[in-house]
């Protein structure tokens, strides 16, 4: 299974069905959230909202199933079982498992394409085993839940930069995902008005290898998309480099005074993929 959504994934509370279509229209994929965005007393109503927007036959949803992810509650909870019961009556088969902590939990989601959200100490430590599961299409990491699971108070310094433990978790999830050929989704940026900070973090996500970034507000989508979209000059440079490689016909060659090898060509190929070419 391959993850074909992104780069901007937008969360939408499941108990706010009036926002579903707007979220879908403004993003590359919408994450309908049954977990943290919904108060415990409202979770059943949220599941009802998902079911209510289906057609009479249950197969004509308001949201496109190919661009919709349902974030479900952690495995082993009563809400998790209720979420699965709800999803059985929908065409949605892309789910995000909140607080994923072990490979065994993924086996309970056979038949679903899963983005495993690693946001606890156990989830980070077991990220590679989780990524190896066949039904896992991607891994995402979560900063604030992780720090809470550690007994900490904040994932960031006063200047907005991540603390060392958060950076370690981010890198661990990225490496685990890519080691098994899965998508890597960068965590949300919670300071909604700070679009410049989001732009800096999004550009770093692109440069580091994250294929997508999650958003919590529609205004963040354009910033994430801009970070992932190569400029025309980037596309032209990548195209020229790959053309030169084809003409050279060797594994290593000199181009514009620089030695070019496989990793540099992969960077160029990645640029063209992000440009849709």
């Amino acid at each position: 299974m391959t993850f074909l959504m992104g780069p901007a994934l937008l969360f939408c509370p499941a108990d706010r069905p009036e926002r579903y279509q707007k979220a879908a229209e403004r993003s590359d994929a919408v994450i309908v959230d049954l977990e943290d965005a919904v108060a415990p007393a409202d979770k059943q109503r949220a599941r009802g909202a998902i079911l209510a927007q289906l057609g009479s036959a249950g197969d004509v949803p308001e949201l496109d199933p190919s661009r919709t992810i349902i974030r479900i509650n952690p495995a082993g909870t009563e809400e998790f079982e209720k979420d699965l019961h709800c999803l059985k009556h929908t065409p949605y088969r892309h789910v995000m498992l909140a607080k994923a902590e072990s490979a065994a939990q993924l086996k309970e989601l056979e038949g679903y394409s899963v983005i495993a959200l690693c946001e606890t100490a156990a989830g980070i430590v077991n990220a590679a085993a989780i990524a190896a599961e066949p039904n896992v299409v991607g891994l995402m990491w979560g900063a604030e839940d992780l720090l809470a699971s550690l007994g900490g108070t904040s994932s960031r310094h006063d200047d907005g930069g991540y603390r060392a433990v958060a950076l370690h978790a981010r890198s661990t999830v990225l490496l685990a995902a890519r080691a098994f050929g899965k998508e890597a989704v960068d965590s949300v940026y919670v300071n909604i008005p700070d679009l410049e900070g989001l732009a800096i973090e999004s550009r770093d996500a692109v440069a580091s290898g994250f294929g997508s970034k999650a958003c919590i507000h529609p205004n963040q989508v354009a910033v994430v998309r801009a970070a992932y979209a190569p400029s025309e000059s980037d596309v032209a440079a990548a195209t020229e480099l790959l053309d030169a490689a084809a003409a050279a016909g060797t594994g290593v060659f000199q181009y514009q005074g620089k030695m070019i090898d496989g990793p540099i060509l992969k960077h160029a190929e990645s640029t063209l993929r992000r440009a849709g070419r």
Side-chain angles (χ1 to χ4, degrees):
M1 291 181 282
T2 303
F3 185 87
L4 299 175
M5 305 180 198
L9 314 179
L10 179 59
F11 277 100
C12 178
D15 62 345
R16 299 299 299 272
E18 73 278 7
R19 296 183 183 179
Y20 288 2
Q21 195 55 240
K22 292 179 181 178
E25 290 171 355
R26 297 179 186 182
S27 63
D28 297 304
V30 60
I31 305 170
V32 179
D33 190 4
L34 283 167
E35 197 223 4
D36 281 347
V38 181
D42 295 329
K43 288 186 184 291
Q44 190 58 37
R45 181 168 63 86
R47 285 185 282 265
I50 291 175
L51 293 172
Q53 54 87 48
L54 299 175
S56 59
D59 58 356
V60 188
E62 175 184 344
L63 295 171
D64 178 357
S66 70
R67 295 179 54 244
T68 301
I69 303 163
I70 309 296
R71 177 158 79 161
I72 59 178
N73 287 278
T77 65
E78 183 179 348
E79 299 297 345
F80 171 82
E81 298 298 334
K82 291 179 178 179
D83 291 346
L84 290 190
H85 180 74
C86 169
L87 289 177
K88 288 178 182 178
H89 300 282
T90 78
Y92 301 124
R93 290 299 176 267
H94 301 284
V95 302
M96 176 179 287
L97 177 61
K99 299 176 178 62
E101 294 191 331
S102 71
Q105 294 174 344
L106 278 303
K107 298 184 188 304
E108 299 183 60
L109 291 168
E110 185 177 353
Y112 292 93
S113 297
V114 185
I115 297 174
L117 179 47
C118 300
E119 51 184 344
T120 65
I124 300 301
V125 169
N126 294 323
I130 292 169
E133 286 299 303
N135 60 335
V136 171
V137 296
L139 263 62
M140 178 176 159
W141 75 290
E144 298 311 321
D145 278 295
L146 170 62
L147 265 293
S149 81
L150 297 174
T153 58
S154 174
S155 66
R156 295 181 186 266
H157 297 290
D158 291 342
D159 64 2
Y162 278 122
R163 298 184 189 280
V165 67
L167 288 174
H168 173 76
R170 186 179 190 238
S171 298
T172 297
V173 168
L174 172 61
L175 290 167
R178 293 311 192 191
F180 290 92
K182 308 298 175 68
E183 178 67 290
V185 181
D186 199 21
S187 188
V188 298
Y189 192 80
V190 298
N191 189 349
I192 296 173
D194 182 19
L195 296 181
E196 179 55 34
L198 171 63
I200 293 170
E201 188 165 290
S202 298
R203 289 194 293 268
D204 180 75
V206 175
S208 298
F210 285 95
S212 304
K213 187 168 179 64
C215 304
I216 56 173
H217 192 278
N219 289 346
Q220 295 182 325
V221 170
V223 177
V224 171
R225 283 175 170 167
Y228 276 86
S231 67
E232 285 301 317
S233 60
D234 290 337
V235 172
T239 301
E240 292 172 5
L241 176 59
L242 292 172
D243 287 345
T250 60
V252 178
F253 67 101
Q254 186 173 320
Y255 176 73
Q256 295 182 347
K258 298 179 180 179
M259 190 64 69
I260 305 298
D261 59 6
I264 295 176
L265 296 179
K266 288 185 180 297
H267 294 327
E269 292 168 352
S270 175
T271 295
L272 295 188
R273 279 197 300 273
R274 286 189 286 112
R277 306 187 185 184

